[in-house]
Amino acid sequence: MDKPQLLTQDELLVIRKCVLLPLLIHVIDTNMDDLKYSESTFKDLYMVSTEVVLDFINRDYLDARQQLSKAKIKIVEATPVAKYEVNYTIFYRGYQEEFRMMKSVVKAQLSIALGNYIKEIGELIKQIKRV
């Protein structure tokens, strides 16, 4: 009997992106709603910066979804077994597997991902020179 081909490390990383990025988009959308009503002097700068970050995240999410589609991997959100975790079912190569992450890990990963996007945008902004 053939041994089932497990998900590769790269596939797991793409699955993780497809789980985390929509959650990050939701967090940023919520913060943008709050920002719209802000009276901050830098409100417009924050809004534009946030929109650029969202564009980067959406691009990465679309790319990750396309990678999964090519690999014929499907992710379906499942009902969490416990309130402190997120739960997904992964369908691949005729197999099914559960993908779970503790909410505390999700929160930490979202914070790291957002920090990386902000760093990337910051580096691009620093390259702009006013003539």
Side-chain angles (χ1 to χ4, degrees):
M1 179 182 276
D2 288 337
K3 196 173 188 180
Q5 184 180 358
L6 299 176
L7 291 165
T8 67
Q9 190 67 27
D10 288 341
E11 289 170 336
L12 285 170
L13 289 173
V14 175
I15 288 168
R16 193 170 136 267
K17 269 187 180 182
C18 285
V19 167
L20 293 175
L21 293 181
L23 298 173
L24 185 55
I25 290 167
H26 175 72
V27 168
I28 293 171
D29 280 341
T30 301
N31 285 325
M32 278 186 73
D33 289 342
D34 294 342
L35 189 57
K36 286 177 188 173
Y37 302 106
S38 168
E39 294 183 21
S40 171
T41 305
F42 294 103
K43 172 183 167 180
D44 292 337
L45 175 63
Y46 297 153
M47 290 293 291
V48 169
S49 301
T50 304
E51 287 170 4
V52 172
V53 170
L54 269 176
D55 286 346
F56 276 50
I57 295 169
N58 280 313
R59 180 198 62 203
D60 288 349
Y61 179 59
L62 179 61
D63 180 54
R65 292 295 304 170
Q66 288 173 342
Q67 288 179 44
L68 288 185
S69 180
K70 284 181 185 175
K72 296 182 180 171
I73 297 172
K74 184 177 179 184
I75 301 174
V76 177
E77 188 170 1
T79 305
V81 176
K83 62 183 173 183
Y84 53 82
E85 70 181 14
V86 294
N87 190 16
Y88 293 82
T89 303
I90 313 300
F91 298 94
Y92 66 101
R93 297 184 278 280
Y95 296 96
Q96 175 179 325
E97 192 170 312
E98 297 300 314
F99 183 88
R100 294 182 180 159
M101 290 180 76
M102 306 260 311
K103 286 187 179 178
S104 58
V105 172
V106 169
K107 187 175 180 179
Q109 291 297 309
L110 293 179
S111 180
I112 291 167
L114 182 58
N116 289 335
Y117 282 109
I118 291 170
K119 181 180 176 186
E120 184 178 359
I121 302 290
E123 289 170 1
L124 290 172
I125 290 172
K126 287 177 185 176
Q127 293 176 9
I128 300 171
K129 299 205 189 260
R130 190 168 189 194
V131 180

